[in-house]
Amino acid sequence: MPDLSRRDLARLFGLGIAASGLQPAAAARAVSSKPRAPKGVVRISSNENPYGPSRAALDAAREAFSLAWRYPDEAADDLIAELAKHHKLPERCFLLGAGSSEILKLATTAFCGPGRKAVTADPTFESIAHHAPVSSAEVVKVPLDKTFAHDLEAMAKVPSAGLIYVCNPNNPTASLTPKARVRAFLADAPERTALLVDEAYHHYVDSPDYESAALFVSGHPNLIVTRTFSKIYGMAGLRIGYAIAQPPVIQVLAQHGAYDSVNVLAMAAAKASIVDAAHAAEGKARNAKTRAQVFADLKKLGLSPIPSQANFFMVDVKKPVGPLIAALAAKGIQVGRAFPALPTHLRVTVGTPEQMRRFTEALAATRA
Ligand code: PLP
């Protein structure tokens, strides 16, 4: 097949791109919009876990490679059986995805469209707002409240909502929406609206003000909870996550997905990870210790991060973050992207102690 120029591609796909509301530039960005991290560069930009998977997960993935020639049916059944045990819910309440990102996309496609709005906080993880226009769905962004919690009361009042997305803890602020408010929201939100609670950072939380919405799936036919193996389990590159919901919703989501989108290595590693509770506990403790140290170092610089319940944090640097992100990149430190709703806040992943030392040193140098 001959190489196609960008113009050829634009001509070929022009119709589809126009119909979806996407610009050709956005389509071209699909390769990767993230900067590469050359050797020696500190990558604290994507909320990854710098310690990687547990040894048990690595061993399981290595072993599963010998089954790479087979479709992953048994591996999926085994993992789902483990998830069912873990969450004490029937196996029919689970759907695997190539990362929780896949589930977020399926939910947007399934529940949003013309006259069925996508409602999110602002700022929050952008996935739902990114996908909604493809389904011709209007996106309504409701600002976080003063405590950086979701304003669930306002979100529930948005008319004609197809899906309300609640990110708890929230990315990028690493803040919680307290459990009493989540409970009230689940009780009061319109029954015909899908409620998606994204718990990507669940395992890092230590506040008594939090509880997982997974506890409420059996009582709420419109609730979807998503989890990922990309964070505490250290497997962002393997691409695996899952949805928890009642079987009719799981079926709808599955219908929108591709067959067998999750690979056998990821499934085997995920199953081993869930069983290895010590690895998650150790990861949580290590993250909390490093985060406390970097918070102390930031305090010495006169900076006060938003209290964090995750493996990242946000700090108000009191000036637009764009130039600071660029200045840190020039010093070999890749931090998180800018979030327009909080234009003076910098998002930073909690890396290793050495990475954080390099970050605070570089930050101090930009302020000197
Ligand atoms: N949800 C939230 C809140 C995230 O921050 C991320 C990634 O950073 C994801 C979902 C996507 O995770 P993955 O697709 O790797 O499971």
Side-chain angles (χ1 to χ4, degrees):
M1 185 176 138
D3 283 350
L4 293 175
S5 69
R6 268 178 74 172
R7 188 187 296 165
D8 292 335
L9 278 173
R11 215 180 297 130
L12 266 176
F13 294 112
L15 199 67
I17 288 169
S20 70
L22 278 179
Q23 297 305 309
R29 257 204 327 269
V31 175
S32 175
S33 56
K34 292 184 187 165
R36 286 180 173 269
K39 224 170 177 291
V41 164
V42 173
R43 173 157 140 163
I44 43 175
S45 51
S46 297
N47 303 345
E48 294 153 337
N49 175 349
Y51 302 104
S54 75
R55 180 164 295 277
L58 285 171
D59 289 346
R62 219 174 275 123
E63 198 173 316
F65 206 0
S66 64
L67 287 174
W69 56 280
R70 275 177 40 182
Y71 283 102
D73 304 294
E74 289 89 351
D77 290 348
D78 287 354
L79 174 57
I80 286 180
E82 199 59 52
L83 290 171
K85 217 182 333 164
H86 184 76
H87 288 284
K88 301 187 177 60
L89 284 167
E91 293 176 10
R92 290 176 309 135
C93 291
F94 296 88
L95 178 71
L96 303 178
S100 54
S101 292
E102 181 181 13
I103 308 284
L104 299 183
K105 163 129 178 47
L106 300 183
T108 313
T109 316
F111 298 109
C112 300
R116 292 186 303 160
K117 296 172 194 162
V119 181
T120 78
D122 193 24
T124 194
F125 190 57
E126 303 94 331
S127 168
I128 302 290
H130 171 72
H131 295 304
V134 181
S135 305
S136 304
E138 185 188 335
V139 178
V140 178
K141 295 184 180 180
V142 178
L144 295 174
D145 71 13
K146 283 196 199 82
T147 65
F148 301 101
H150 284 53
D151 186 346
L152 292 178
E153 299 75 12
M155 292 172 84
K157 280 192 197 130
V158 174
S160 310
L163 180 144
I164 303 178
Y165 173 72
V166 178
C167 189
N168 202 25
N170 186 48
N171 181 2
T173 47
S175 49
L176 287 185
T177 299
K179 61 186 177 190
R181 287 172 70 181
V182 175
R183 279 187 188 212
F185 168 71
L186 293 179
D188 297 344
E191 280 168 18
R192 293 190 60 237
T193 301
L195 312 176
L196 196 161
V197 182
D198 180 339
E199 296 184 346
Y201 301 98
H202 162 84
H203 298 90
Y204 292 104
V205 178
D206 53 21
S207 165
D209 235 2
Y210 167 85
E211 72 190 341
S212 170
L215 299 170
F216 304 111
V217 163
S218 50
H220 292 277
N222 54 341
L223 174 62
I224 304 163
V225 177
T226 56
R227 293 278 184 94
T228 181
F229 288 92
S230 299
K231 307 298 175 184
I232 198 99
Y233 296 121
M235 306 195 320
L238 270 184
R239 311 303 307 129
I240 181 160
Y242 60 100
I244 317 170
Q246 291 194 9
V249 169
I250 291 290
Q251 279 163 24
V252 171
L253 292 173
Q255 258 184 329
H256 283 82
Y259 291 148
D260 299 321
S261 65
V262 185
N263 70 80
V264 73
L265 273 69
M267 289 177 185
K271 182 172 171 238
S273 296
I274 300 179
V275 178
D276 188 356
H279 177 257
E282 191 190 330
K284 180 180 178 179
R286 193 150 44 176
N287 177 70
K289 191 170 171 204
T290 310
R291 194 179 58 200
Q293 180 61 54
V294 72
F295 274 35
D297 293 344
L298 289 172
K299 200 170 167 199
K300 286 184 207 146
L301 296 177
L303 295 171
S304 309
I306 300 172
S308 163
Q309 289 288 315
N311 67 337
F312 61 94
F313 60 87
M314 254 196 159
V315 56
D316 187 357
V317 293
K318 313 274 185 204
K319 56 184 176 189
V321 285
L324 177 58
I325 291 170
L328 289 170
K331 293 177 184 299
I333 314 287
Q334 290 180 354
V335 293
R337 58 195 176 275
F339 287 81
L342 291 175
T344 63
H345 282 70
L346 187 69
R347 196 197 69 183
V348 183
T349 302
V350 177
T352 63
E354 168 61 11
Q355 288 177 324
M356 301 325 283
R357 188 189 58 73
R358 285 189 54 194
F359 159 69
T360 42
E361 267 178 25
L363 183 66
T366 65
R367 298 166 66 81

